[in-house]
Amino acid sequence: MFKKNGQSVPDSSTADATEWQLSEFQVAEQDGKKRFHDFDLPLPLMRAIADLGFEYCSPIQARSLPYTLAGYDVVGKAQTGTGKTAAFLISIINELLTRPIEDERYAGEARALIIAPTRELVMQIADDARQLTKYCDLQVHSLVGGMDHQKQRDRLHNALVDILVATPGRLLDFLDSRDVFLDEVECLVIDEADRMLDMGFIPQVRRIVRATPKKDCRQTLLFSATFSDDVLRLSEQWTFEPIKIEIEPESVATDTVEQRVFLTTTEEKFTVLFNILTGETVESAIVFANRRDTTRDLFEKLRKKGVRCGILSGDVPQQKRVKTLERFKQGDLKVLVATDVAGRGIHIDGISHVVNYTLPEDPEDYVHRIGRTGRAGASGQSISFACEDDGFLLPEIEAMLGRKLECEQTPEALLEEIS
Ligand code: AMP
């Protein structure tokens, strides 16, 4: 069961990068901006960064990398859309490449562990990790529930594990069955800690953290979109003399997203939605609703009306969700209808519109939702419907944003009956 792996570990810091020179990745110095060139990162990593088209560091990257690369623990207040995934992955990959393990390694023994609350988020992080490690000999594994258990298990037995990305529940299954070992973890990332709390995962995360080396013997990076008292308490327990970094949500949401609020009635909402989605300006869109049944209902109605759409909500089987996301990414689907939890892990660039069919009850979800568009510097538009049932939620959202949202009457053209 506990399979020894005597393979020699190749010197991954030079793997496959021989023909590529840093001079092929030119980025001019700019005042107030940090480049990835400023951190002396290994060549294979720089090459992958160049392929991704990243030029300058995003604020969370510029502020965290100097510390994470030096081995400090970091507690970061940042949400999706800020580039936090690349921030922690770059630091991990740098560490793994610059300190290769010379000794024998064991199957299932992870060097870096990233835990995230949802399956979509795990898949996305693993995807980003694979892109950033494409020129290195580092193995990325993802463990998520609802997907092929045996396949994940076989891979753990047959390949080394450098970066392990997992949801807490599935990771515990593998830990209990002794297919995964965490006692050699050098770097632990806890992503979206606030969402882990909301979803009741903390007891599980606690068990996982306990299975890793003591906090002064590992590097711990904890990210959360909010710093509630509970999150701060957990970060104190799990990190060692951490550096605190806060990136305000506005730097994601309001800069690149034009936010509109349409005053509607409950009855006319579907017509307005349909007209928006079939209008000329929408290239791709995510429609958010608060409840699963509303999501299902919208999806069915849109599909019947010929809109190429998919659904992402908790009651859709995992494999189907992954396929749906893939089809959306490839442009095969124009619209995704999602609930907040399922929609949180969507990291897709180029989404032109976000529609809030119902306003979220938690104002932070508003920021998360609209952050699905306007990503990576592109511009996007969010349209929120405020009707008699949920208009009262607006003031809280405005308080969170720190600014007023102008409400407008729904444009006449969008009220036209669907033919
Ligand atoms: P995240 O916050 O991790 O969800 O990342 C948001 C998006 O920004 C992802 O699509 C990344 O590929 C992209 N991204 C991350 N870092 C950079 C960067 N330095 N420059 C441009 N895009 C980036």
Side-chain angles (χ1 to χ4, degrees):
M1 197 148 165
F2 192 37
K3 208 175 98 192
K4 242 184 187 176
N5 194 323
Q7 283 171 310
S8 64
V9 183
D11 175 7
S12 15
S13 60
T14 54
D16 222 9
T18 36
E19 310 108 58
W20 188 82
Q21 316 267 331
L22 194 55
S23 55
E24 291 173 49
F25 181 22
Q26 298 275 356
V27 178
E29 285 187 45
Q30 238 184 62
D31 269 358
K33 284 195 174 176
K34 271 225 163 74
R35 304 170 308 159
F36 294 96
H37 304 62
D38 303 330
F39 293 111
D40 193 23
L41 299 171
L43 213 49
L45 179 54
M46 285 301 282
R47 186 177 180 189
I49 293 173
D51 280 8
L52 284 169
F54 298 174
E55 293 185 318
Y56 299 95
C57 294
S58 70
I60 184 80
Q61 292 160 359
R63 288 179 51 197
S64 67
L65 281 170
Y67 297 105
T68 56
L69 290 170
Y72 285 93
D73 284 5
V74 162
V75 175
K77 181 175 167 190
Q79 51 187 241
T80 40
T82 52
K84 73 178 155 71
T85 315
F88 62 70
L89 285 173
I90 287 170
S91 175
I92 288 173
I93 296 165
N94 175 72
E95 168 72 18
L96 299 183
L97 290 180
T98 48
R99 299 208 307 165
I101 304 266
E102 309 291 350
D103 298 341
E104 222 169 35
R105 291 177 60 190
Y106 294 91
E109 218 171 57
R111 292 191 68 190
L113 171 66
I114 300 157
I115 40 179
T118 64
R119 295 177 282 202
E120 282 77 13
L121 192 53
V122 165
M123 306 286 283
Q124 198 67 54
I125 295 169
D127 217 33
D128 290 357
R130 288 191 188 101
Q131 294 198 46
L132 282 166
T133 54
K134 74 190 221 206
Y135 299 110
C136 340
D137 186 32
L138 292 176
Q139 302 288 327
V140 179
H141 291 237
S142 48
L143 303 180
V144 288
M147 305 272 282
D148 201 333
H149 187 278
Q150 191 57 36
K151 234 187 184 157
Q152 294 174 21
R153 190 156 180 251
D154 288 348
R155 226 190 129 220
L156 282 169
H157 284 249
N158 297 329
L160 293 174
V161 191
D162 293 298
I163 301 175
L164 185 62
V165 195
T167 48
R170 181 48 69 100
L171 178 60
L172 279 180
D173 290 346
F174 281 109
L175 202 58
D176 289 341
S177 60
R178 299 183 61 77
D179 291 304
V180 159
F181 301 89
L182 301 180
D183 44 346
E184 296 294 328
V185 163
E186 296 158 54
C187 181
L188 168 68
V189 178
I190 300 166
D191 199 15
E192 303 213 341
D194 53 342
R195 188 56 49 144
M196 302 258 206
L197 263 161
D198 290 350
M199 293 171 81
F201 288 161
I202 296 307
Q204 300 177 17
V205 178
R206 213 182 283 287
R207 274 191 61 202
I208 293 165
V209 175
R210 249 190 255 130
T212 68
K214 288 209 168 65
K215 65 180 179 183
D216 50 350
C217 300
R218 60 164 199 255
Q219 183 181 33
T220 311
L221 313 176
L222 183 142
F223 293 91
S224 181
T226 51
F227 273 174
S228 64
D229 289 346
D230 285 340
V231 168
L232 290 174
R233 239 190 318 277
L234 290 174
S235 70
E236 263 166 43
Q237 290 169 19
W238 292 336
T239 59
F240 179 73
E241 299 179 359
I243 308 292
K244 270 214 192 98
I245 293 173
E246 298 192 32
I247 303 293
E248 288 311 316
E250 292 90 280
S251 73
V252 187
T254 48
D255 289 0
T256 50
V257 182
E258 182 200 354
Q259 302 172 61
R260 299 179 73 178
V261 181
F262 291 169
L263 297 168
T264 57
T265 63
T266 315
E267 293 80 57
E268 64 197 18
K269 275 208 280 195
F270 183 76
T271 305
V272 179
L273 174 70
F274 178 82
N275 287 331
I276 290 172
L277 296 178
T278 50
E280 276 173 15
T281 53
V282 176
E283 286 157 33
S284 60
I286 302 190
V287 180
F288 281 100
N290 293 1
R291 295 168 42 153
R292 285 180 186 178
D293 54 349
T294 320
T295 316
R296 165 79 41 198
D297 189 43
L298 282 178
F299 164 68
E300 301 286 357
K301 276 161 91 178
L302 286 170
R303 203 174 47 168
K304 274 203 195 110
K305 297 253 174 256
V307 177
R308 285 178 292 117
C309 64
I311 179 167
L312 285 187
S313 81
D315 51 357
V316 177
Q318 171 64 6
Q319 253 146 353
K320 187 116 200 268
R321 284 200 245 167
V322 173
K323 272 211 192 98
T324 302
L325 264 182
E326 210 40 55
R327 288 183 64 201
F328 184 65
K329 270 190 204 170
Q330 283 163 2
D332 193 18
L333 297 176
K334 182 179 181 185
V335 177
L336 279 184
V337 189
T339 54
D340 287 293
V341 172
R344 241 222 175 164
I346 304 170
H347 303 231
I348 300 172
D349 297 336
I351 297 172
S352 66
H353 287 72
V354 166
V355 181
N356 292 316
Y357 192 78
T358 41
L359 288 173
E361 279 159 22
D362 182 345
E364 272 163 29
D365 279 330
Y366 176 85
V367 179
H368 286 295
R369 287 180 181 187
I370 72 168
R372 302 306 89 209
T373 182
R375 290 163 62 84
S379 59
Q381 192 182 71
S382 81
I383 298 174
S384 306
F385 296 164
C387 71
E388 61 274 24
D389 297 328
D390 58 8
F392 70 94
L393 294 165
L394 274 175
E396 255 191 279
I397 294 172
E398 291 176 333
M400 163 97 200
L401 291 171
R403 74 180 186 88
K404 199 150 173 54
L405 291 170
E406 291 306 322
C407 295
E408 50 187 302
Q409 293 301 331
T410 305
E412 281 298 319
L414 295 177
L415 291 167
E416 265 170 39
E417 278 306 312
I418 305 168
S419 57

